[in-house]
């Protein structure tokens, strides 16, 4: 770690975080949850909200891919995603869903206001964001794809979108 010039856990907790939170709604795979924790750590995301059936730490399968990021990234659980989103809206977050809709904006066309608090919302691996979530969004983002599949893995999608936001703000 010294050679890589990485922060220790206590140093990381004290560092300023991006005004970004990630909301995982009904994400089934514990490996996906762990991967999102690890990505959130890499880009100093402020917090992860785990909603519905999404698994919570401590869990062996989450730890396997998180590699300790459940200790560095703050998280909170909500049984109902709509309650989570209502709380975030009251705190001034823009609600940004990642979903293919008839009104979604392609990710490369997205121009988020620099340092405007942003909640990035990701849904279930099979069904995506629920019908309860879609009307609450300020914007839906779609990741352009050119292959035969119609979607990416949720952890990969989170990495792509978080990187896009991070790179635009840096």
């Amino acid at each position: 770690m010294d050679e890589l010039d990485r922060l220790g856990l206590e140093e990381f907790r004290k560092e300023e975080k991006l005004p970004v939170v990630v909301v995982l709604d009904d994400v089934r795979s514990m490996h996906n949850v762990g991967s999102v924790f690890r990505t959130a750590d890499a880009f100093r995301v402020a917090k992860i909200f785990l909603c519905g059936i999404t698994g919570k730490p401590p869990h062996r399968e989450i730890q396997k891919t998180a590699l300790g990021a459940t200790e560095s990234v703050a998280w909170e659980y909500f049984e109902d995603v709509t309650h989570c989103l209502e709380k975030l809206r009251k705190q001034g977050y823009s609600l940004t869903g990642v979903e293919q809709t008839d009104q979604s904006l392609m990710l490369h066309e997205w121009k988020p206001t620099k340092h405007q608090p942003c909640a990035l919302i990701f849904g279930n691996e099979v069904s995506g964001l629920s019908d309860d979530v879609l009307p609450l969004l300020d914007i839906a983002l779609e990741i352009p794809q050119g292959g035969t599949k119609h979607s990416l893995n949720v952890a990969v999608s989170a990495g792509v979108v978080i990187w896009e936001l991070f790179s635009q703000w840096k």
Side-chain angles (χ1 to χ4, degrees):
M1 286 303 187
D2 290 337
E3 292 172 357
L4 294 174
D5 196 29
R6 298 288 192 230
L7 299 172
L9 184 56
E10 290 309 314
E11 292 171 305
F12 181 87
R13 287 180 177 158
K14 293 175 185 173
E15 283 292 312
E16 184 178 351
K17 306 298 187 287
L18 287 178
V20 175
V21 297
V22 170
V23 178
L24 298 180
D25 183 33
D26 287 340
V27 173
R28 296 176 308 169
S29 166
M30 302 296 176
H31 294 129
N32 283 334
V33 174
S35 292
V36 173
F37 266 96
R38 195 160 156 195
T39 299
D41 175 281
F43 296 108
R44 293 189 188 169
V45 166
K47 192 171 191 176
I48 296 178
F49 291 88
L50 307 168
C51 302
I53 65 167
T54 305
K56 305 177 290 287
H59 191 285
R60 182 176 53 86
E61 289 182 27
I62 293 173
Q63 297 305 99
K64 185 174 184 178
T65 51
L67 295 178
T70 56
E71 301 302 316
S72 58
V73 178
W75 64 273
E76 186 175 344
Y77 174 77
F78 279 81
E79 187 172 328
D80 184 340
V81 68
T82 59
H83 292 145
C84 175
L85 298 180
E86 289 165 1
K87 174 184 174 180
L88 290 170
R89 182 172 308 284
K90 287 178 185 172
Q91 293 176 352
Y93 284 86
S94 66
L95 303 182
T96 305
V98 180
E99 185 63 81
Q100 298 168 341
T101 74
D102 60 352
Q103 297 177 17
S104 57
L105 179 68
M106 289 298 169
L107 181 61
H108 63 278
E109 297 172 350
W110 183 40
K111 302 295 179 225
T113 303
K114 193 167 186 174
H115 301 294
Q116 160 68 38
C118 181
L120 299 173
I121 306 140
F122 300 89
N124 179 271
E125 292 92 336
V126 174
S127 57
L129 293 177
S130 70
D131 291 339
D132 293 339
V133 169
L134 292 175
L136 300 175
L137 299 178
D138 295 310
I139 188 171
L141 297 176
E142 183 173 337
I143 301 169
Q145 299 166 54
T148 62
K149 301 301 174 193
H150 69 277
S151 66
L152 293 168
N153 173 281
V154 67
V156 171
S157 294
V160 168
V161 174
I162 293 167
W163 166 251
E164 179 65 24
L165 183 58
F166 180 82
S167 65
Q168 284 195 40
W169 284 1
K170 289 294 173 190

